[in-house]
Amino acid sequence: MNTDIQGRAAHLAGIREKAEAEMRRIGIDVAFIDRLVDTFYGRIQTHPRLGPVFDGRLAGRWPDHMEKMKRFWSSVAFKNGAYGGKPVQAHLGVEGIAPDLFPEWLALFSETLADITPSDEAKAWFMATAERIAKSLTLSLFYNPAVDDPARKAI
């Protein structure tokens, strides 16, 4: 069993090393993750539709949220396990959250990336990742198979 644990640890270390090398290649480091989160959520706070939804949930807790998002994006980019939360559960019951806010969130994220990302490859990687996250959250929070499944709809 000890060999299995060592093999798994080596496998995870390999995944982490590969991710870190890929991020370095496209110009991403920890300082960029910090800048991305600080810039993006600074813009979120002043956004006319997104700001009130986020602030309704995070009022008085913005610094904690910013640190959590830095761990989240670090974990996603570097595969380092820095984030151990549950994003879907964190978004359940957020007052004012709606499916039509996710395209606005993505647009603001894209604008932020366009302003600060060190390379086109980095922008594409982060944008594709954000799109997958938005789709996953939208499906998890709002999809109802009884209502939304095309195969179940009457023709």
Side-chain angles (χ1 to χ4, degrees), residues 54 57 65 86-94 97 102 137 141:
F54 276 79
R57 181 70 161 215
H65 183 69
K86 298 178 179 177
V88 173
Q89 288 81 353
H91 292 84
L92 286 172
V94 172
I97 196 168
F102 285 90
L137 283 172
L141 297 171

Side-chain angles (χ1 to χ4, degrees), residues 54-95:
F54 276 79
D55 201 48
R57 181 70 161 215
L58 299 172
R61 298 184 309 114
W62 274 102
D64 292 338
H65 183 69
M66 301 292 275
E67 288 307 311
K68 186 182 289 185
M69 291 300 92
K70 289 174 184 179
R71 287 191 312 272
F72 173 80
W73 281 105
S74 177
S75 186
V76 170
F78 303 118
K79 310 256 189 279
N80 62 15
Y83 177 80
K86 298 178 179 177
V88 173
Q89 288 81 353
H91 292 84
L92 286 172
V94 172
E95 188 172 332

Side-chain angles (χ1 to χ4, degrees):
M1 187 179 299
N2 201 15
T3 305
D4 290 344
I5 293 170
Q6 290 172 336
R8 179 155 171 72
H11 176 71
L12 293 174
I15 290 170
R16 191 169 36 254
E17 288 170 13
K18 183 178 177 186
E20 289 170 356
E22 175 65 12
M23 290 298 112
R24 263 193 315 276
R25 187 185 70 71
I26 63 175
I28 301 303
D29 58 14
V30 173
F32 173 78
I33 299 290
D34 290 349
R35 185 174 177 213
L36 173 63
V37 169
D38 290 339
T39 304
F40 177 62
Y41 284 98
R43 292 175 180 186
I44 285 279
Q45 291 177 48
T46 62
H47 190 276
R49 290 195 65 216
L50 297 170
V53 173
F54 276 79
D55 201 48
R57 181 70 161 215
L58 299 172
R61 298 184 309 114
W62 274 102
D64 292 338
H65 183 69
M66 301 292 275
E67 288 307 311
K68 186 182 289 185
M69 291 300 92
K70 289 174 184 179
R71 287 191 312 272
F72 173 80
W73 281 105
S74 177
S75 186
V76 170
F78 303 118
K79 310 256 189 279
N80 62 15
Y83 177 80
K86 298 178 179 177
V88 173
Q89 288 81 353
H91 292 84
L92 286 172
V94 172
E95 188 172 332
I97 196 168
D100 68 325
L101 290 177
F102 285 90
E104 291 187 50
W105 182 88
L106 286 169
L108 191 61
F109 196 75
S110 180
E111 290 170 20
T112 302
L113 291 172
D115 291 343
I116 69 168
T117 311
S119 71
D120 288 340
E121 278 184 281
K123 181 181 180 200
W125 188 91
F126 276 91
M127 201 61 223
T129 302
E131 288 168 350
R132 282 192 305 274
I133 291 166
K135 183 175 184 175
S136 175
L137 283 172
T138 301
L139 288 171
S140 296
L141 297 171
F142 304 107
Y143 177 75
N144 179 342
V147 175
D148 301 324
D149 185 352
R152 294 179 179 239
K153 292 188 177 194
I155 298 177

